[in-house]
Amino acid sequence: MNTTKLFNFPSRAISLVQFCGMKNFKAPPTYDIEIPENAKLKFIDKIPTLPTNIKPPKMQKRLRYIRGPEDVHNFLMYKQYGIMALGGGRLKHGHFEMIRMTLHRKIDLSRMFAVWRVDAPWQPVTKRGQGTRLGGGKGPIDHYVTPVKAGRIVVELAGKCEFKEVEEFLTDIANKLPFKAMAVSQEMLTKMKDQEKWEEENNQNSFTMKYLIQNNMGGCQRWLSPNDFKYFCKYV
């Protein structure tokens, strides 16, 4: 229904016509994905299950498990969203529970689901009691951890949703992890790989870190570690 209002001013009369118009909204995206029956994250055991006749083995630190890039689990299986580690570190059982409980509160299980992309805690960490005398062999096992390398996908979220819906709480989870991490989507991963490839191909500075280390510029090989010779100071 059209309504006309007249406003009389000293110089001229202005006519304002108000009418209802049709608005065109974009069609919602179609998601070609099936929601599994168990959309929740599986509970992670605090201690690995071992046969009854095997004593829990102790282990050294083995920092090589958290150094360098991840070569296997560095992609999204469902091509949607997840949390990617930006550096190396160790996940404890409390971090697994924090991720699981936060996602169960935030996601809509009728149209979203989440899957783990890391193993349950398996690496033992030993610790001696306070005030105990040194010596006498390695101390008892205190807890178990899961080592994570840079580029590893920690948890993956998929379903009938957009990145804006899940970015806030995925970023909140990533900020609580014991290493640097970020919420990513498939588009972000693709752009990051393309950007890294473009920078490597179009770099006009010939004095790269690889060139400096291999040619011992300034005698840098005297104070570099073996990992710097392997990764050229990229993963520290």
Side-chain angles (χ1 to χ4, degrees):
M1 180 178 180
N2 295 340
T3 58
T4 305
K5 295 182 180 179
L6 296 176
F7 297 88
N8 294 323
F9 291 92
S11 59
R12 59 183 177 175
I14 301 177
S15 176
L16 298 178
V17 180
Q18 298 179 355
F19 58 92
C20 297
M22 182 178 293
K23 297 181 180 180
N24 295 325
F25 296 100
K26 292 183 179 179
T30 57
Y31 301 96
D32 187 15
I33 190 169
E34 278 187 40
I35 308 297
E37 295 181 3
N38 188 9
K40 294 183 178 181
L41 285 175
K42 184 176 126 184
F43 177 79
I44 299 297
D45 294 330
K46 194 172 184 179
I47 301 174
T49 304
L50 297 174
T52 56
N53 58 344
I54 294 181
K55 184 179 179 181
K58 300 176 184 180
M59 190 179 294
Q60 298 171 336
K61 288 185 178 181
R62 299 189 183 179
L63 297 180
R64 62 182 181 272
Y65 290 162
I66 63 176
R67 287 175 175 166
E70 174 64 37
D71 298 326
V72 180
H73 301 281
N74 54 6
F75 64 95
L76 295 171
M77 293 190 302
Y78 296 98
K79 308 297 182 184
Q80 286 194 296
Y81 324 114
I83 297 177
M84 182 180 69
L86 300 179
R90 293 171 171 178
L91 289 174
K92 296 182 180 179
H93 180 261
H95 299 124
F96 283 92
E97 282 298 286
M98 179 270 298
I99 296 172
R100 189 177 69 89
M101 299 299 293
T102 304
L103 287 181
H104 288 178
R105 288 195 305 267
K106 297 293 184 179
I107 67 175
D108 184 1
L109 296 176
S110 63
R111 57 188 181 91
M112 303 179 194
F113 66 95
V115 292
W116 291 113
R117 293 296 304 276
V118 289
D119 301 325
W122 60 269
Q123 186 180 13
V125 177
T126 59
K127 183 180 179 181
R128 288 183 176 274
Q130 187 175 5
T132 57
R133 184 185 298 272
L134 296 179
K138 198 166 181 62
I141 296 175
D142 183 66
H143 61 277
Y144 290 84
V145 296
T146 298
V148 173
K149 290 186 176 182
R152 178 73 179 258
I153 302 297
V154 178
V155 67
E156 191 168 347
L157 179 65
K160 301 176 181 178
C161 57
E162 296 186 3
F163 187 57
K164 292 182 179 179
E165 297 181 60
V166 301
E167 182 181 9
E168 182 178 356
F169 59 82
L170 286 182
T171 303
D172 182 43
I173 293 174
N175 293 335
K176 294 178 181 178
L177 294 178
F179 43 79
K180 289 185 178 181
M182 64 179 294
V184 295
S185 63
Q186 182 62 36
E187 296 179 359
M188 294 172 61
L189 287 180
T190 305
K191 287 182 181 179
M192 290 167 61
K193 291 181 180 179
D194 294 342
Q195 180 69 16
E196 184 178 1
K197 184 178 179 181
W198 183 88
E199 290 178 355
E200 186 177 353
E201 293 176 351
N202 297 273
N203 183 24
Q204 298 180 0
N205 184 10
S206 59
F207 290 94
T208 61
M209 186 61 67
K210 181 178 179 180
Y211 179 85
L212 296 177
I213 293 176
Q214 289 181 344
N215 292 275
N216 195 22
M217 301 293 288
C220 62
Q221 292 184 0
R222 290 178 299 175
W223 45 268
L224 290 175
S225 68
N227 290 293
D228 295 326
F229 287 93
K230 186 175 181 180
Y231 303 117
F232 303 109
C233 300
K234 188 174 181 181
Y235 302 96
V236 295

